[in-house]
Amino acid sequence: MGCVSNLEASPQEALCEGTPADGPVRELLYPRDVVLGTRDGTTVSRTLPNKDRRMVGAWCFADHYGPTDVSDSPGMSVAPHPHAGLQTVSWLVAGEVLHRDSLGHVATARPGTLNLMTAGRGIAHSEHSPVPHDDVLHGVQLWVALPGEHRDTEPHFEHHADLPAAEGHGWHATVVMGQFAGQTSAAATYSPLVLAEITADGPFTLPLREDFEHALLVLDGEVDGVERGPLLYLGAGRAEIELTGRARFLVLGGVPFHEKIVMWWNFIGRTHDDIVAMRESWMDGDRFGEVQGSGQSRLAAPPMPGTTLMPRARKR
Ligand code: MN
């Protein structure tokens, strides 16, 4: 299967607005099933960008894949492709993903470990199931939009195998990025945000930040009647939230992202011309470098759409 990249054959312009955060709300943001343009046409469940809410904090892309039996298949196979203006987050529930990038990093993400790639001004990577690999592959690929002052930062890659833990009555958390329940991940962040994986059972109360908007993504089980599929958007203005259920889920959050962005294929820019330049450099330039050892030729960028890509806000 292929994930970890926006491989749609004809990616739609997708974007993100500068309005104040909503107060506490409860909205289900339903996924669209996206068939990735790889050999086996794997389907992923994409909740961000959503039609009416394109971002939650700086989180602008959320794909959930699996659990898939990959015992008799190559598993994930995403050939070298570029990114710019964002961070990619690979987080696994089951299985493993081997990352290679144009800076020479080779690192395997497994449950409980984070592969975080800060693309900044540009990097290329591939992601594959290693050989041999576990029978089941289940995970998420998330993107974080870099704020304007950091979007051209030096590209770099981080692998975090020792993430901090937090717990309370009825729940346990791994703090993947940012701060949660008083614990801070060492992963690099460029705007105030959080990503935490929670395992919970029963009624429980999670601490939140009032200035963050938050959303929950169920990986397994159910929380407040929500099973895997939609993103449960909670708005901002909550210091805590009372929930019930037996589940493993992600908490995504951050300060509302007030810049308008242009998101197309694997790039985030601020203007149509930014995207054109990124695309041209991938096809004909040297901005992104080459990935060694993936055993696959690099992906070609799709053609630009016939219309001008417009910067869009976080919310419609
Ligand atoms: Mn990618």
Side-chain angles (χ1 to χ4, degrees), residues 3-6 78 81-83 88 117 125-127 141 143 266:
C3 319
V4 189
S5 167
N6 189 346
V78 183
H81 60 278
H83 287 286
T88 67
M117 186 175 77
H125 73 155
S126 65
E127 291 183 286
Q141 162 88 185
W143 295 356
N266 294 304

Side-chain angles (χ1 to χ4, degrees), residues 34-241:
V34 177
V35 178
L36 301 179
T38 51
R39 285 170 301 182
D40 59 355
T42 295
T43 299
V44 301
S45 171
R46 181 168 300 164
T47 47
L48 291 176
N50 210 273
K51 182 164 54 80
D52 296 320
R53 283 193 189 282
R54 300 186 172 96
M55 303 180 77
V56 176
W59 300 98
C60 60
F61 185 91
D63 270 2
H64 185 182
Y65 53 88
T68 303
D69 182 345
V70 293
S71 57
D72 294 323
S73 86
M76 181 179 291
S77 177
V78 183
H81 60 278
H83 287 286
L86 55 89
Q87 295 175 292
T88 67
V89 176
S90 292
W91 185 254
L92 289 164
V93 181
E96 62 274 269
V97 171
L98 175 61
H99 159 102
R100 289 186 175 90
D101 66 41
S102 51
L103 296 176
H105 299 284
V106 179
T108 302
R110 298 187 169 81
T113 73
L114 167 66
N115 270 3
L116 172 64
M117 186 175 77
T118 300
R121 63 179 163 74
I123 193 170
H125 73 155
S126 65
E127 291 183 286
H128 293 89
S129 295
V131 181
H133 53 255
D134 286 355
D135 289 348
V136 176
L137 181 61
H138 182 192
V140 296
Q141 162 88 185
L142 307 170
W143 295 356
V144 181
L146 292 172
E149 61 186 316
H150 296 296
R151 69 192 181 96
D152 291 325
T153 196
E154 283 293 302
H156 64 274
F157 175 80
E158 299 168 43
H159 177 81
H160 294 277
D162 188 20
L163 295 165
E167 61 183 7
H169 185 70
W171 61 271
H172 175 93
T174 301
V175 184
V176 185
M177 293 178 68
Q179 282 191 325
F180 188 78
Q183 299 296 313
T184 304
S185 166
T189 58
Y190 294 87
S191 62
L193 59 80
V194 64
L195 175 64
E197 186 189 71
I198 313 291
T199 303
D201 191 0
F204 59 97
T205 302
L206 296 180
L208 299 176
R209 261 179 68 160
E210 288 186 76
D211 59 332
F212 279 15
E213 54 180 350
H214 292 93
L216 308 182
L217 183 66
V218 175
L219 302 170
D220 190 29
E222 60 85 15
V223 176
D224 273 13
V226 178
E227 298 182 338
R228 70 157 293 168
L231 191 64
L232 175 56
Y233 178 74
L234 299 169
R238 300 174 189 265
E240 60 180 31
I241 188 165

Side-chain angles (χ1 to χ4, degrees), residues 16-20 257-260 312-315:
C16 301
E17 171 178 55
T19 55
F257 197 85
H258 290 307
E259 295 176 59
K260 292 185 177 183
R312 301 292 177 88
R314 52 183 280 272
K315 176 185 172 192

